[in-house]
Amino acid sequence: MDPARSERAGRADQGRDGPRTPDASPELPLALKILVAGGFGVGKTTLVGSVSEIRPLRTEELLSEAGQTVDDTQGVDRKTTTTVAMDFGRITIRSGLSLYLFGTPGQDRFWFLWDELATGALGAVVLADTRRLEACFPAVDYFEHRTIPFVVAVNCFSGSRTYGAHEVSRALDLDLGTPVVLCDARDRDSGKEVLIRLVEHAGRMHTARLLDSVGPGN
């Protein structure tokens, strides 16, 4: 074939379809690990179940008489089951971004599982019940001491007094900047908004730590 004709054919091809560029690599999906923590009976299993787009994995057992001697059930007298390992669910926040939710057990005797569950977590949601606010103190302390980003989500139970975010933050003596949001753990949209706030907060914290590690002038 005449080289000149070959070159002209190539230019004509390019004129019709534009310059040929390599196919762009597809964006890899991102999966983030989130913990859902808090006191016994505060609504962790409910929150994971309400937002999960898959059938949630649950490890609930019936409360036993033996457990009543070690578990504080005050204020949750009608609760008949308890999480003994974890709850698990998944939600897609947007295209390419999914959250894997791990609900932690609330009783003191299962806290040995927390370190394992917290490994690799982006952050945590600490659910709080204003009728038993002290029940979430251990979770708040746990994540503060390990510098794991978290938000406090106040589960607004029917019939309970409503407190503002600032009042809850002051009562829990939270570090400045820790978000407090009001939510209904039964409502998917409400739970999803809590998770979005956590991802945003964790993103800001990780960015700030990265800048601090680089230091000025580098």
Side-chain angles (χ1 to χ4, degrees), residues 37-45 60-64 67-68 70-84 104-111 114 127-129 131-139 155 157:
F40 176 62
V42 78
K44 301 181 294 297
T45 298
E60 289 196 312
E61 296 290 344
L62 291 172
L63 288 171
S64 64
Q68 292 177 1
V70 291
D71 295 331
D72 181 10
T73 58
Q74 185 176 1
V76 285
D77 302 340
R78 288 182 290 181
K79 185 172 174 59
T80 59
T81 60
T82 182
T83 298
V84 296
T104 65
Q107 301 99 308
D108 300 7
R109 57 195 170 108
F110 295 123
W111 282 352
W114 283 37
L127 270 176
D129 178 356
R131 300 170 301 180
R132 303 178 294 117
L133 202 56
E134 69 284 353
C136 72
F137 286 172
N155 194 8
F157 287 88

Side-chain angles (χ1 to χ4, degrees), residues 81-115:
T81 60
T82 182
T83 298
V84 296
M86 67 174 185
D87 298 312
F88 174 77
R90 185 190 71 204
I91 178 174
T92 300
I93 296 297
R94 58 172 171 77
S95 177
L97 175 59
S98 297
L99 303 183
Y100 289 87
L101 309 177
F102 292 79
T104 65
Q107 301 99 308
D108 300 7
R109 57 195 170 108
F110 295 123
W111 282 352
F112 67 91
L113 294 169
W114 283 37
D115 286 339

Side-chain angles (χ1 to χ4, degrees), residues 1 13-14 22 42 48 60-61 69 81-82 91 108 115 140 144 173 184 188 192 194 206 215 217:
M1 183 176 184
D13 237 12
Q14 180 172 313
V42 78
V48 172
E60 289 196 312
E61 296 290 344
T69 62
T81 60
T82 182
I91 178 174
D108 300 7
D115 286 339
V140 169
E144 282 185 345
D173 193 25
D184 182 345
R188 176 181 172 82
K192 185 175 180 179
V194 170
H206 285 296

Side-chain angles (χ1 to χ4, degrees), residues 129-131 154-164 167-168:
D129 178 356
T130 55
R131 300 170 301 180
V154 180
N155 194 8
C156 299
F157 287 88
S158 178
S160 63
R161 178 180 170 183
T162 301
Y163 293 87
E167 293 176 285
V168 174

